[in-house]
Amino acid sequence: MNRTTRFLAACLVATLPGAFLGAQTAKQDMKDAGHETKQAAKDTGSGIKKGTKKTAHTVGEKTEEGADATKRGTKKAYQKTKSGTKKAVNKVDGDPNTK
């Protein structure tokens, strides 16, 4: 082998570990990216789940509050109607105590 060939062979041998190391690093980078993507998807799913539960809870509370308000309003309207009807009947009957 001449001097130039030996130099080129030495350079080639010196760069081979770096080439393999670079391939190993790229492969590991791909694996790491996959793991990071998987973790990000899990985090996103957890956030959506938490938000959905919180919204459902809030909607349930507001629905109950609305139902209670409707119930109170219905009772109040019933009492006013009952009282008004009683007064009207008493007026028709000629009850002097009716205003």
Side-chain angles (χ1 to χ4, degrees):
M1 261 197 235
N2 68 20
R3 200 170 162 168
T4 306
T5 307
R6 279 187 284 176
F7 176 75
L8 291 175
C11 288
L12 180 63
V13 170
T15 59
L16 283 177
F20 287 123
L21 181 63
Q24 186 64 29
T25 302
K27 187 176 180 180
Q28 188 59 45
D29 288 346
M30 292 293 288
K31 283 184 179 180
D32 291 345
H35 292 296
E36 290 171 6
T37 302
K38 181 180 176 183
Q39 190 59 44
K42 283 183 178 181
D43 292 345
T44 300
S46 295
I48 290 170
K49 181 179 178 183
K50 183 178 178 181
T52 302
K53 281 186 175 181
K54 185 175 180 179
T55 301
H57 182 70
T58 301
V59 168
E61 285 179 348
K62 296 300 180 185
T63 301
E64 287 179 21
E65 289 173 11
D68 290 343
T70 301
K71 186 176 178 182
R72 285 191 306 272
T74 302
K75 283 183 179 180
K76 187 174 180 179
Y78 168 77
Q79 292 298 329
K80 283 187 172 187
T81 302
K82 180 179 168 184
S83 175
T85 303
K86 188 174 184 180
K87 284 181 183 179
V89 168
N90 288 338
K91 273 189 175 182
V92 170
D93 287 341
D95 186 359
N97 295 326
T98 312
K99 295 181 181 177

